Amino acid sequence: MQIITTKSELTRQVSACMRQSKTIGFVPTMGALHAGHASLVQCAVAENDVCVVSVFVNPTQFNNKEDLEKYPRNINKDAELLADFGVDFVFAPTPEEMYTQEEMQQEFSFDFAGLDLVMEGKMRPGHFNGVVQVVSRLFDLVQPTRAYFGEKDFQQLAIIHHMVERSSMAGRFGELKIVDCPIVREANGLAMSSRNERLSEQSKQTAVAISQTLFASLEWAKNASVKEVQQRVIDTINAVDGLEVEYYEIVNKDTLQPTDNWDNAVGCVTVYCGPVRLIDNIRY
Ligand code: PAF
């Protein structure tokens, strides 16, 4: 496995793969890898000739400086895990390698057709502009055949699909296919996240109530309206000492707009467990 830190070296390696008509599987990450990432990487290794993983904590998608500073980073541990999975290239650039000073300061903007006006987009203004800025730049560099994303970040995945559809119409990214991968959970149901590293053992136990409530809501949904279930989920999680719901929205899976019926409904939640912001979702 080769660790690459410059765009020029990455481009050189990608061009060599393309000359040999090799398929490239790509997993973009911000590091602090866990079993959720491992499942994406395993698919990418199995389904492609070459696997590239990026490890880059993207500053332009953080609207909270403290969150960016506290984001867990451990490239050596990440590289060990990736080598074990048979990854060919890890791309781990510095922010200066990825962006000019101007790009770091100016907000990139993209038309999300309203997908960014709800939930994470509403709570973290500019977040998805930063995500699309870095992901589209990485796609241009890696030129993947397939790119793998986890369903835990449900809204992010919808936005990436939208961006790729729009860009493909304009002839960008070739035949790129986005592969949606299911949420990976701890044995107790807690959705795997790099942010879980910031939870104490006690908080991890507390946070289990998030997924437990979402699973219970599948039963509630059999005999209740969307509004009733939404309120019950919020009340149940808020009743747990140490948890505070930021939002729980039940939305249509394609439009991400709040829905009042159960067809294609997805419940997306963000909860503060102490200072740590956790997200999860469930399909009804
Ligand atoms: O989901 C993430 O870890 C990030 O948003 C991504 C897609 C790697 C872009 O920085």
Side-chain angles (χ1 to χ4, degrees), residues 78-264:
D78 290 343
E80 262 175 46
L81 185 133
L82 295 173
D84 285 349
F85 282 112
V87 168
D88 300 280
F89 301 105
V90 175
F91 180 50
T94 59
E96 293 71 27
E97 177 67 14
M98 283 299 274
Y99 300 118
T100 61
Q101 273 300 327
E102 207 178 38
E103 285 171 330
M104 293 269 260
Q105 273 142 23
Q106 260 174 24
E107 200 181 288
F108 172 91
S109 93
F110 188 84
D111 177 8
F112 296 102
L115 293 174
D116 62 326
L117 300 179
V118 290
M119 304 190 290
E120 290 301 281
K122 196 162 147 193
M123 295 300 164
R124 304 174 69 187
H127 168 66
F128 287 119
N129 284 314
V131 170
V132 163
Q133 179 180 32
V134 74
V135 170
S136 56
R137 182 153 304 182
L138 288 166
F139 285 171
D140 281 335
L141 289 166
V142 177
Q143 304 204 39
T145 318
R146 298 181 190 84
Y148 297 77
F149 290 85
E151 287 180 340
K152 183 172 78 67
D153 296 296
F154 190 81
Q155 189 172 9
Q156 168 171 283
L157 190 50
I159 279 178
I160 300 285
H161 274 289
H162 172 78
M163 182 268 280
V164 169
E165 266 160 40
R166 294 251 332 241
S167 305
S168 301
M169 279 191 263
R172 199 170 163 197
F173 307 145
E175 297 291 297
L176 169 61
K177 180 175 184 312
I178 301 298
V179 184
D180 304 2
C181 301
I183 299 178
V184 178
R185 298 181 180 279
E186 305 275 359
N188 60 17
L190 178 65
M192 299 247 183
S193 164
S194 303
R195 289 169 198 264
N196 294 356
E197 276 190 23
R198 292 178 55 205
L199 297 173
S200 64
E201 281 313 310
Q202 160 109 47
S203 304
K204 276 188 190 151
Q205 293 308 317
T206 308
V208 170
I210 303 169
S211 55
Q212 277 173 351
T213 307
L214 293 185
F215 293 136
S217 75
L218 289 176
E219 279 304 309
W220 306 339
K222 289 179 182 163
N223 300 303
S225 71
V226 167
K227 277 270 156 297
E228 286 162 344
V229 171
Q230 181 186 17
Q231 197 54 52
R232 190 165 169 189
V233 166
I234 294 172
D235 294 344
T236 307
I237 297 177
N238 280 341
V240 178
D241 209 18
L243 296 184
E244 196 185 335
V245 175
E246 185 177 56
Y247 65 80
Y248 182 56
E249 296 283 358
I250 300 178
V251 298
N252 175 280
K253 76 170 180 48
D254 300 314
T255 63
L256 302 187
Q257 297 309 305
T259 179
D260 55 11
N261 71 72
W262 292 113
D263 297 336
N264 292 320

